[in-house]
Amino acid sequence: MTTERSLVIVKPDGFHRGLTGEVLRRIEAKGYVLAALKILTPPTALLQEHYAEHEGKPFFEPLVAFMSSGPVTAVVIEGEDCIKGFRSLAGATNPTEAAPGSIRGDLGRDWGEKVQKNIVHGSDSPESAAREIGIWFPEL
């Protein structure tokens, strides 16, 4: 196993529903450490950089608009294989398909924009985690 860092974001839908504490509780219960945390309404430029790989795709602009629509909680977590572990803890991208016991399976709703309004984001690889943490937490 490898100790690593990952970026986790409680998205505007999760923040609005008061689920940040529950998400953080599950992260800590899994044994991961909260290394950095901030609450902000992300500016468009930050989100465009974060989602740059999707620029030009039909969902890019709606995703940036959704993510800038209200406060989010951005967290850097640390732990053994935490990237893979958190993605398992989060559950399938579509909350309807996410397994019971996962964040999205237990807390997600069947929204029209399932890929956008699915409570959390988690980095998908060590490379993505390093890039994303650099965008959201340049001071680290």
Side-chain angles (χ1 to χ4, degrees), residues 21-134:
E22 175 62 15
V23 171
L24 297 179
R25 185 196 67 75
R26 290 177 184 221
I27 289 169
E28 290 185 312
K30 184 82 172 169
Y32 302 135
V33 173
L34 306 180
L37 182 144
K38 64 172 85 169
I39 296 171
L40 72 155
T41 298
T44 300
L46 182 145
L47 294 165
Q48 288 172 333
E49 185 178 1
H50 177 90
Y51 292 113
E53 66 202 48
H54 301 300
E55 191 168 0
K57 296 178 182 172
F59 61 85
F60 177 77
E61 291 298 330
L63 179 58
V64 169
F66 165 66
M67 289 294 293
S68 63
S69 69
V72 303
T73 304
V75 186
V76 176
I77 65 170
E78 294 178 342
E80 297 292 326
D81 289 324
C82 70
I83 294 170
K84 182 179 177 182
F86 177 76
R87 291 181 66 80
S88 177
L89 184 64
T93 303
N94 180 337
T96 302
E97 297 171 0
S102 68
I103 292 168
R104 293 175 180 143
D106 290 351
L107 308 173
R109 292 179 159 171
D110 190 9
W111 299 102
E113 307 91 2
K114 291 180 179 83
V115 174
Q116 293 175 14
K117 295 183 178 180
N118 62 3
I119 314 290
V120 292
H121 162 84
S123 302
D124 64 4
S125 69
E127 297 76 22
S128 291
R131 185 182 73 77
E132 293 172 356
I133 290 168

